[in-house]
mmCIF file of all heavy atoms in Angstrom:
data_model
loop_
_atom_site.group_PDB
_atom_site.id
_atom_site.type_symbol
_atom_site.label_atom_id
_atom_site.label_comp_id
_atom_site.label_asym_id
_atom_site.label_seq_id
_atom_site.Cartn_x
_atom_site.Cartn_y
_atom_site.Cartn_z
ATOM 1 N N TYR A 19 87.556 48.683 241.168
ATOM 2 C CA TYR A 19 88.420 47.491 240.871
ATOM 3 C C TYR A 19 87.518 46.344 240.374
ATOM 4 O O TYR A 19 87.960 45.547 239.544
ATOM 5 C CB TYR A 19 89.192 47.078 242.120
ATOM 6 C CG TYR A 19 90.231 46.058 241.774
ATOM 7 C CD1 TYR A 19 91.557 46.454 241.391
ATOM 8 C CD2 TYR A 19 89.985 44.666 241.768
ATOM 9 C CE1 TYR A 19 92.496 45.532 241.049
ATOM 10 C CE2 TYR A 19 90.952 43.725 241.408
ATOM 11 C CZ TYR A 19 92.213 44.168 241.054
ATOM 12 O OH TYR A 19 93.156 43.263 240.743
ATOM 13 N N MET A 20 86.313 46.222 240.899
ATOM 14 C CA MET A 20 85.447 45.134 240.395
ATOM 15 C C MET A 20 85.078 45.383 238.963
ATOM 16 O O MET A 20 84.915 44.405 238.195
ATOM 17 C CB MET A 20 84.140 45.084 241.218
ATOM 18 C CG MET A 20 84.414 44.716 242.737
ATOM 19 S SD MET A 20 85.260 43.154 242.905
ATOM 20 C CE MET A 20 84.137 42.017 242.100
ATOM 21 N N LEU A 21 85.014 46.613 238.496
ATOM 22 C CA LEU A 21 84.815 46.887 237.091
ATOM 23 C C LEU A 21 86.093 46.565 236.263
ATOM 24 O O LEU A 21 86.046 46.181 235.088
ATOM 25 C CB LEU A 21 84.463 48.336 236.880
ATOM 26 C CG LEU A 21 83.158 48.786 237.530
ATOM 27 C CD1 LEU A 21 82.932 50.307 237.325
ATOM 28 C CD2 LEU A 21 81.983 48.061 236.936
ATOM 29 N N PHE A 22 87.221 46.716 236.914
ATOM 30 C CA PHE A 22 88.533 46.401 236.239
ATOM 31 C C PHE A 22 88.807 44.851 236.249
ATOM 32 O O PHE A 22 89.568 44.399 235.380
ATOM 33 C CB PHE A 22 89.659 47.134 237.022
ATOM 34 C CG PHE A 22 91.052 46.716 236.606
ATOM 35 C CD1 PHE A 22 91.609 47.143 235.368
ATOM 36 C CD2 PHE A 22 91.810 45.866 237.383
ATOM 37 C CE1 PHE A 22 92.859 46.797 235.033
ATOM 38 C CE2 PHE A 22 93.073 45.465 237.009
ATOM 39 C CZ PHE A 22 93.617 45.956 235.837
ATOM 40 N N PHE A 23 88.147 44.093 237.099
ATOM 41 C CA PHE A 23 88.424 42.703 237.249
ATOM 42 C C PHE A 23 88.330 41.893 235.958
ATOM 43 O O PHE A 23 89.186 41.061 235.634
ATOM 44 C CB PHE A 23 87.541 42.091 238.339
ATOM 45 C CG PHE A 23 87.810 40.652 238.640
ATOM 46 C CD1 PHE A 23 88.847 40.308 239.483
ATOM 47 C CD2 PHE A 23 87.030 39.667 238.036
ATOM 48 C CE1 PHE A 23 89.100 38.978 239.756
ATOM 49 C CE2 PHE A 23 87.310 38.311 238.305
ATOM 50 C CZ PHE A 23 88.355 37.955 239.162
ATOM 51 N N PRO A 24 87.289 42.038 235.145
ATOM 52 C CA PRO A 24 87.182 41.317 233.886
ATOM 53 C C PRO A 24 88.385 41.605 232.979
ATOM 54 O O PRO A 24 88.880 40.670 232.311
ATOM 55 C CB PRO A 24 85.880 41.785 233.226
ATOM 56 C CG PRO A 24 85.095 42.289 234.439
ATOM 57 C CD PRO A 24 86.041 42.881 235.383
ATOM 58 N N PHE A 25 88.825 42.852 232.886
ATOM 59 C CA PHE A 25 89.978 43.171 232.034
ATOM 60 C C PHE A 25 91.232 42.440 232.537
ATOM 61 O O PHE A 25 92.002 41.859 231.764
ATOM 62 C CB PHE A 25 90.232 44.646 232.067
ATOM 63 C CG PHE A 25 91.428 45.063 231.294
ATOM 64 C CD1 PHE A 25 91.397 45.192 229.912
ATOM 65 C CD2 PHE A 25 92.602 45.395 231.921
ATOM 66 C CE1 PHE A 25 92.501 45.570 229.153
ATOM 67 C CE2 PHE A 25 93.757 45.781 231.206
ATOM 68 C CZ PHE A 25 93.721 45.849 229.835
ATOM 69 N N ASP A 26 91.361 42.381 233.879
ATOM 70 C CA ASP A 26 92.507 41.646 234.455
ATOM 71 C C ASP A 26 92.393 40.180 234.090
ATOM 72 O O ASP A 26 93.395 39.493 233.747
ATOM 73 C CB ASP A 26 92.510 41.860 235.996
ATOM 74 C CG ASP A 26 93.684 41.203 236.660
ATOM 75 O OD1 ASP A 26 94.636 40.730 235.936
ATOM 76 O OD2 ASP A 26 93.723 41.101 237.893
ATOM 77 N N LEU A 27 91.187 39.594 234.222
ATOM 78 C CA LEU A 27 90.970 38.159 234.014
ATOM 79 C C LEU A 27 91.279 37.764 232.572
ATOM 80 O O LEU A 27 92.015 36.773 232.306
ATOM 81 C CB LEU A 27 89.551 37.794 234.386
ATOM 82 C CG LEU A 27 89.112 36.359 234.104
ATOM 83 C CD1 LEU A 27 89.948 35.354 234.902
ATOM 84 C CD2 LEU A 27 87.648 36.162 234.427
ATOM 85 N N PHE A 28 90.736 38.540 231.601
ATOM 86 C CA PHE A 28 90.842 38.100 230.206
ATOM 87 C C PHE A 28 92.062 38.616 229.463
ATOM 88 O O PHE A 28 92.303 38.113 228.359
ATOM 89 C CB PHE A 28 89.542 38.478 229.466
ATOM 90 C CG PHE A 28 88.353 37.755 229.942
ATOM 91 C CD1 PHE A 28 87.425 38.392 230.748
ATOM 92 C CD2 PHE A 28 88.137 36.481 229.588
ATOM 93 C CE1 PHE A 28 86.286 37.750 231.199
ATOM 94 C CE2 PHE A 28 86.983 35.764 230.019
ATOM 95 C CZ PHE A 28 86.073 36.431 230.814
ATOM 96 N N PHE A 29 92.788 39.580 230.061
ATOM 97 C CA PHE A 29 93.931 40.094 229.308
ATOM 98 C C PHE A 29 95.225 40.032 230.155
ATOM 99 O O PHE A 29 96.175 39.315 229.756
ATOM 100 C CB PHE A 29 93.656 41.609 228.918
ATOM 101 C CG PHE A 29 92.501 41.703 227.961
ATOM 102 C CD1 PHE A 29 91.234 42.001 228.357
ATOM 103 C CD2 PHE A 29 92.769 41.550 226.582
ATOM 104 C CE1 PHE A 29 90.204 42.122 227.443
ATOM 105 C CE2 PHE A 29 91.761 41.682 225.645
ATOM 106 C CZ PHE A 29 90.469 41.945 226.103
ATOM 107 N N LEU A 30 95.268 40.714 231.301
ATOM 108 C CA LEU A 30 96.526 40.706 232.068
ATOM 109 C C LEU A 30 96.878 39.321 232.620
ATOM 110 O O LEU A 30 97.968 38.826 232.371
ATOM 111 C CB LEU A 30 96.462 41.728 233.190
ATOM 112 C CG LEU A 30 96.193 43.200 232.797
ATOM 113 C CD1 LEU A 30 96.180 44.112 233.996
ATOM 114 C CD2 LEU A 30 97.301 43.644 231.775
ATOM 115 N N SER A 31 95.950 38.756 233.357
ATOM 116 C CA SER A 31 96.226 37.410 233.975
ATOM 117 C C SER A 31 96.294 36.335 232.899
ATOM 118 O O SER A 31 97.083 35.393 233.054
ATOM 119 C CB SER A 31 95.171 37.089 235.003
ATOM 120 O OG SER A 31 95.190 37.989 236.078
ATOM 121 N N ARG A 32 95.565 36.470 231.842
ATOM 122 C CA ARG A 32 95.605 35.496 230.778
ATOM 123 C C ARG A 32 96.968 35.515 230.115
ATOM 124 O O ARG A 32 97.495 34.447 229.705
ATOM 125 C CB ARG A 32 94.548 35.790 229.736
ATOM 126 C CG ARG A 32 94.358 34.693 228.676
ATOM 127 C CD ARG A 32 94.017 33.352 229.295
ATOM 128 N NE ARG A 32 93.948 32.339 228.335
ATOM 129 C CZ ARG A 32 92.837 31.883 227.735
ATOM 130 N NH1 ARG A 32 91.703 32.489 227.994
ATOM 131 N NH2 ARG A 32 92.881 30.953 226.855
ATOM 132 N N ALA A 33 97.587 36.667 230.006
ATOM 133 C CA ALA A 33 98.961 36.765 229.440
ATOM 134 C C ALA A 33 99.932 36.063 230.384
ATOM 135 O O ALA A 33 100.868 35.419 229.909
ATOM 136 C CB ALA A 33 99.358 38.211 229.248
ATOM 137 N N LEU A 34 99.776 36.152 231.723
ATOM 138 C CA LEU A 34 100.633 35.493 232.637
ATOM 139 C C LEU A 34 100.456 33.964 232.565
ATOM 140 O O LEU A 34 101.363 33.215 232.929
ATOM 141 C CB LEU A 34 100.392 35.957 234.065
ATOM 142 C CG LEU A 34 100.696 37.442 234.346
ATOM 143 C CD1 LEU A 34 100.222 37.775 235.738
ATOM 144 C CD2 LEU A 34 102.167 37.694 234.186
ATOM 145 N N ALA A 35 99.287 33.534 232.121
ATOM 146 C CA ALA A 35 98.968 32.071 232.086
ATOM 147 C C ALA A 35 99.422 31.410 230.812
ATOM 148 O O ALA A 35 99.220 30.194 230.656
ATOM 149 C CB ALA A 35 97.479 31.874 232.271
ATOM 150 N N GLU A 36 100.009 32.132 229.841
ATOM 151 C CA GLU A 36 100.462 31.528 228.642
ATOM 152 C C GLU A 36 101.459 30.420 228.914
ATOM 153 O O GLU A 36 102.427 30.630 229.696
ATOM 154 C CB GLU A 36 101.078 32.553 227.687
ATOM 155 C CG GLU A 36 100.041 33.516 227.123
ATOM 156 C CD GLU A 36 99.028 32.871 226.278
ATOM 157 O OE1 GLU A 36 99.360 31.809 225.625
ATOM 158 O OE2 GLU A 36 97.867 33.324 226.246
ATOM 159 N N GLY A 37 101.321 29.287 228.321
ATOM 160 C CA GLY A 37 102.193 28.142 228.524
ATOM 161 C C GLY A 37 101.714 27.180 229.590
ATOM 162 O O GLY A 37 102.185 26.132 229.751
ATOM 163 N N SER A 38 100.626 27.557 230.337
ATOM 164 C CA SER A 38 100.064 26.659 231.366
ATOM 165 C C SER A 38 99.225 25.636 230.630
ATOM 166 O O SER A 38 98.671 25.914 229.559
ATOM 167 C CB SER A 38 99.241 27.476 232.337
ATOM 168 O OG SER A 38 98.506 26.582 233.165
ATOM 169 N N SER A 39 99.078 24.467 231.233
ATOM 170 C CA SER A 39 98.234 23.417 230.668
ATOM 171 C C SER A 39 96.796 23.709 230.796
ATOM 172 O O SER A 39 95.944 23.096 230.148
ATOM 173 C CB SER A 39 98.596 22.092 231.311
ATOM 174 O OG SER A 39 98.365 22.171 232.745
ATOM 175 N N ASN A 40 96.402 24.646 231.677
ATOM 176 C CA ASN A 40 95.029 25.041 231.827
ATOM 177 C C ASN A 40 95.002 26.609 231.958
ATOM 178 O O ASN A 40 94.811 27.150 233.049
ATOM 179 C CB ASN A 40 94.400 24.402 233.105
ATOM 180 C CG ASN A 40 92.906 24.407 233.041
ATOM 181 O OD1 ASN A 40 92.286 25.266 232.482
ATOM 182 N ND2 ASN A 40 92.307 23.392 233.656
ATOM 183 N N PRO A 41 95.154 27.341 230.892
ATOM 184 C CA PRO A 41 95.351 28.804 230.922
ATOM 185 C C PRO A 41 94.170 29.536 231.523
ATOM 186 O O PRO A 41 94.430 30.443 232.313
ATOM 187 C CB PRO A 41 95.494 29.187 229.415
ATOM 188 C CG PRO A 41 95.929 27.946 228.751
ATOM 189 C CD PRO A 41 95.245 26.836 229.453
ATOM 190 N N MET A 42 92.909 29.141 231.251
ATOM 191 C CA MET A 42 91.797 29.903 231.792
ATOM 192 C C MET A 42 91.677 29.743 233.294
ATOM 193 O O MET A 42 91.450 30.745 234.040
ATOM 194 C CB MET A 42 90.513 29.389 231.142
ATOM 195 C CG MET A 42 89.314 30.365 231.354
ATOM 196 S SD MET A 42 89.656 32.000 230.654
ATOM 197 C CE MET A 42 88.900 33.021 231.872
ATOM 198 N N LEU A 43 91.938 28.623 233.824
ATOM 199 C CA LEU A 43 91.884 28.326 235.264
ATOM 200 C C LEU A 43 93.033 29.083 235.968
ATOM 201 O O LEU A 43 92.810 29.717 237.062
ATOM 202 C CB LEU A 43 91.915 26.861 235.564
ATOM 203 C CG LEU A 43 91.673 26.414 236.993
ATOM 204 C CD1 LEU A 43 90.344 26.911 237.473
ATOM 205 C CD2 LEU A 43 91.773 24.930 237.153
ATOM 206 N N PHE A 44 94.169 29.006 235.320
ATOM 207 C CA PHE A 44 95.342 29.720 235.943
ATOM 208 C C PHE A 44 95.114 31.236 235.924
ATOM 209 O O PHE A 44 95.424 31.898 236.909
ATOM 210 C CB PHE A 44 96.612 29.387 235.153
ATOM 211 C CG PHE A 44 97.899 29.817 235.815
ATOM 212 C CD1 PHE A 44 98.505 28.973 236.708
ATOM 213 C CD2 PHE A 44 98.431 31.042 235.527
ATOM 214 C CE1 PHE A 44 99.659 29.375 237.332
ATOM 215 C CE2 PHE A 44 99.589 31.460 236.119
ATOM 216 C CZ PHE A 44 100.220 30.630 237.049
ATOM 217 N N ALA A 45 94.529 31.766 234.839
ATOM 218 C CA ALA A 45 94.234 33.200 234.789
ATOM 219 C C ALA A 45 93.217 33.605 235.847
ATOM 220 O O ALA A 45 93.328 34.628 236.497
ATOM 221 C CB ALA A 45 93.727 33.544 233.414
ATOM 222 N N ALA A 46 92.188 32.738 236.061
ATOM 223 C CA ALA A 46 91.170 33.061 237.108
ATOM 224 C C ALA A 46 91.839 33.124 238.466
ATOM 225 O O ALA A 46 91.491 33.941 239.289
ATOM 226 C CB ALA A 46 90.061 32.017 237.029
ATOM 227 N N LEU A 47 92.699 32.169 238.749
ATOM 228 C CA LEU A 47 93.408 32.128 240.007
ATOM 229 C C LEU A 47 94.234 33.415 240.217
ATOM 230 O O LEU A 47 94.260 34.055 241.289
ATOM 231 C CB LEU A 47 94.253 30.886 240.132
ATOM 232 C CG LEU A 47 95.084 30.785 241.432
ATOM 233 C CD1 LEU A 47 94.164 30.680 242.685
ATOM 234 C CD2 LEU A 47 95.941 29.497 241.367
ATOM 235 N N MET A 48 95.043 33.795 239.170
ATOM 236 C CA MET A 48 95.838 34.950 239.289
ATOM 237 C C MET A 48 95.038 36.261 239.439
ATOM 238 O O MET A 48 95.357 37.112 240.284
ATOM 239 C CB MET A 48 96.762 35.126 238.038
ATOM 240 C CG MET A 48 97.739 33.968 237.834
ATOM 241 S SD MET A 48 98.905 33.812 239.226
ATOM 242 C CE MET A 48 99.724 35.409 239.123
ATOM 243 N N ALA A 49 93.932 36.345 238.726
ATOM 244 C CA ALA A 49 93.098 37.534 238.882
ATOM 245 C C ALA A 49 92.462 37.613 240.251
ATOM 246 O O ALA A 49 92.368 38.707 240.875
ATOM 247 C CB ALA A 49 91.949 37.512 237.844
ATOM 248 N N THR A 50 92.093 36.439 240.861
ATOM 249 C CA THR A 50 91.535 36.472 242.171
ATOM 250 C C THR A 50 92.630 36.845 243.213
ATOM 251 O O THR A 50 92.330 37.573 244.220
ATOM 252 C CB THR A 50 91.020 35.060 242.557
ATOM 253 O OG1 THR A 50 90.065 34.675 241.551
ATOM 254 C CG2 THR A 50 90.368 35.009 243.897
#
Side-chain angles (χ1 to χ4, degrees):
Y19 192 89
M20 295 306 298
L21 297 176
F22 169 77
F23 183 82
F25 178 79
D26 183 12
L27 174 63
F28 292 105
F29 295 96
L30 299 182
S31 296
R32 188 59 184 265
L34 295 175
E36 289 299 327
S38 170
S39 57
N40 200 329
M42 194 60 219
L43 187 58
F44 191 87
L47 178 61
M48 295 301 296
T50 305

